[in-house]
Amino acid sequence: MFRKSGFDDSDAATLAKVAAMYQNVSDTAISAEDAAASIVSQIRAFGKNADFATTIIDVYNEVANNFSTGTNDIANAMEIAGA
C-alpha cells in the first residue's frame, strides 16, 4: 500500500513498521490495510513526510486513552476531515 502511494522503499518499510505498531496499540481490531490507509491519509492531509507516521498513531492512542472514543473512530473521523 505504501509503495502504491508513492513512498520509496525505505519510507515504505518504515511506514509498514508504524502500521504494525498501530495495529498493536489500537483498542479495536484493525486490519493492516486500514492501518496503512489511515496513516497515508493523514500524511497527505497534513502535507508531511513518512517521519510523521509515528506522531499520527501516538496522537490517536493519546486521545483514545483520555476520551471515550476508540482509535478506529478517531482514524475514521480524521480521514473524513482530511479529505
Side-chain angles (χ1 to χ4, degrees):
M1 170 111 188
F2 297 116
R3 289 291 295 141
K4 289 179 183 177
S5 296
F7 294 98
D8 64 28
D9 288 338
S10 176
D11 285 344
T14 300
L15 291 169
K17 289 178 188 175
V18 174
M21 217 180 339
Y22 177 34
Q23 287 181 283
N24 288 331
V25 301
S26 179
D27 54 2
T28 55
I30 184 170
S31 70
E33 184 178 352
D34 288 344
S38 179
I39 291 169
V40 169
S41 171
Q42 294 314 296
I43 288 172
R44 299 290 187 235
F46 285 98
K48 301 287 186 170
N49 60 22
D51 296 330
F52 186 64
T54 304
T55 302
I56 294 165
I57 64 164
D58 287 346
V59 170
Y60 286 178
N61 192 41
E62 181 71 21
V63 172
N65 287 340
N66 290 303
F67 297 94
S68 62
T69 187
T71 52
N72 283 354
D73 295 331
I74 297 164
N76 290 336
M78 289 302 294
E79 286 182 44
I80 292 167

